[in-house]
Amino acid sequence: MQTGKKQWSLDTTNQTLKEFAKLVNGDKAARKVRKNEPLKVGVDLGTSSIVLTVLDQHDQPLYGAFEYAKVVRDGIVVDYIGSIQILKRLKAQAENVLGQTLTSACGAIPPGTGENSANVVANVIEATEMEAKEIVDEPTAAAKFLRLTTGTVVDIGGGTTGISVFKQKRLVKVVDEPTGGSHMTLVLAGYHHIPADDAELMKRDPKKDSANFPIIRPVVEKMATITKNVMATQLAEPVIVVGGATNFKDFVKAFSHTLGRSALKPAFPQFVTPLGIAMYDK
Ligand SMILES: Nc1ncnc2c1ncn2[C@@H]1O[C@H](COP(=O)(O)OP(=O)(O)OP(=O)(O)O)[C@@H](O)[C@H]1O
Ligand SMILES: [Mg+2]
């Protein structure tokens, strides 16, 4: 049925996410860019990986790559030199593929981590010879990519879960909970009596998804309960879950069940924030 007002949907953003994932996975070759074509670059220094994103002027993905890394903890850079080395590598690979030098980039920090951590992220970017244009907060970057003006973004990354409520483009509430994907890994490690590094690989193995999920389900329910409490004080829909730790087949079903509302998950949820960050590079 046609209604006058267009419903908010994930359709367009899912298309971009799928294109981006093809570039990251090497299923699609990046095109060489024109000399002096303006590029928009995003750097996401995360607890579990560093993601480099390159967009064209129309915010279409040109290139993407990431490296797993343990250089950031709970949004704070704990290995400055290590971060720079990885970013230098990612930048050099991007320049080689695109045939152009990357001259500027934007970065991001979790909300409420302060000016110091923004400076550190800017310094990491500048140490790789890119001008740090803007350091934005992560949920705002995610909302920009999702074109979400009113709603709740739940970003479940490696170390933390960030719940951010937007009303008419304004971030009106942020709750950061120190539980993320690494806690799911620890639960799995404890259950199977195996080292955390082995449990991490087991967790990400798509063939083990249905065996893993019942074990980590209580962690998902905890995150949904926290989100429910936040929404009891500030209600904004839709609820969008992003971040790598939402990558289970039954995640949304379990999360929505505890939340008591339907949450939505974009395709390749781990790339939402990195793509949003690059959109700020002007
Ligand atoms: N296929 C998968 N199944 C389950 N979990 C996954 C999968 N892929 C990645 N993860 C988990 O997602 C988490 C990383 O997510 P993401 O890349 O969004 O985090 P980050 O940005 O590095 O961290 P943070 O935002 O907390 O600083 C890790 O805990 C990782 O194990
Ligand atoms: Mg993140």
Side-chain angles (χ1 to χ4, degrees):
M1 191 175 58
Q2 284 286 74
T3 53
K5 201 168 160 221
K6 195 173 172 288
Q7 284 275 317
W8 184 88
S9 98
L10 282 170
D11 293 352
T12 349
T13 52
N14 274 349
Q15 262 171 30
T16 311
L17 284 160
K18 286 175 190 165
E19 281 296 302
F20 184 70
K22 278 188 208 159
L23 292 166
V24 173
N25 299 333
D27 294 340
K28 184 183 161 189
R31 70 166 165 91
K32 288 269 178 205
V33 294
R34 278 178 281 110
K35 197 167 175 277
N36 298 328
E37 178 174 340
L39 303 176
K40 300 170 87 170
V41 179
V43 174
D44 188 358
L45 299 176
T47 305
S48 97
S49 65
I50 296 185
V51 188
L52 180 77
T53 314
V54 184
L55 306 177
D56 70 11
Q57 274 315 88
H58 307 289
D59 293 332
Q60 290 311 301
L62 288 171
Y63 179 85
F66 71 93
E67 263 191 46
Y68 285 110
K70 290 180 180 166
V71 293
V72 173
R73 204 167 297 146
D74 301 340
I76 313 287
V77 176
V78 291
D79 179 358
Y80 184 70
I81 305 292
S83 315
I84 294 167
Q85 282 170 342
I86 294 171
L87 188 54
K88 274 189 175 161
R89 257 199 310 273
L90 290 169
K91 177 178 178 257
Q93 285 157 8
E95 290 174 340
N96 189 29
V97 170
L98 294 168
Q100 205 197 108
T101 308
L102 306 183
T103 54
S104 68
C106 286
I109 50 167
T113 40
E115 202 178 317
N116 270 348
S117 51
N119 288 340
V120 174
V121 171
N123 289 341
V124 169
I125 291 173
E126 303 236 322
T128 67
E129 278 149 48
M130 291 187 282
E131 183 193 344
K133 281 280 176 69
E134 205 176 326
I135 307 300
V136 296
D137 76 83
E138 289 174 0
T140 302
K144 185 175 176 81
F145 173 75
L146 295 167
R147 293 173 175 80
L148 183 77
T149 51
T150 295
T152 303
V153 177
V154 183
D155 180 359
I156 310 178
T160 56
T161 295
I163 301 152
S164 311
V165 183
F166 291 89
K167 289 189 175 166
Q168 274 100 40
K169 279 194 174 170
R170 272 192 45 244
L171 185 52
V172 295
K173 191 171 178 85
V174 179
V175 172
D176 225 5
E177 157 70 24
T179 311
S182 52
H183 300 83
M184 297 175 177
T185 302
L186 293 179
V187 169
L188 211 54
Y191 183 89
H192 290 292
H193 305 287
I194 54 172
D197 286 349
D198 295 351
E200 175 67 28
L201 294 178
M202 179 188 265
K203 184 184 74 172
R204 294 203 302 255
D205 182 350
K207 289 199 280 302
K208 302 214 167 91
D209 185 292
S210 33
N212 290 337
F213 194 71
I215 302 163
I216 62 95
R217 191 183 170 112
V219 185
V220 177
E221 288 171 350
K222 179 183 169 189
M223 288 152 175
T225 303
I226 296 165
T227 307
K228 189 176 181 171
N229 292 338
V230 172
M231 292 188 78
T233 62
Q234 284 280 7
L235 181 66
E237 287 192 288
V239 181
I240 320 292
V241 295
V242 303
T246 65
N247 267 313
F248 294 93
K249 189 169 57 58
D250 287 332
F251 183 96
V252 167
K253 201 170 150 209
F255 189 93
S256 302
H257 180 79
T258 304
L259 184 65
R261 305 170 184 279
S262 298
L264 301 170
K265 180 174 77 170
F268 303 98
Q270 66 273 34
F271 295 140
V272 169
T273 304
L275 284 162
I277 297 170
M279 288 168 74
Y280 284 89
D281 189 11
K282 296 257 162 57

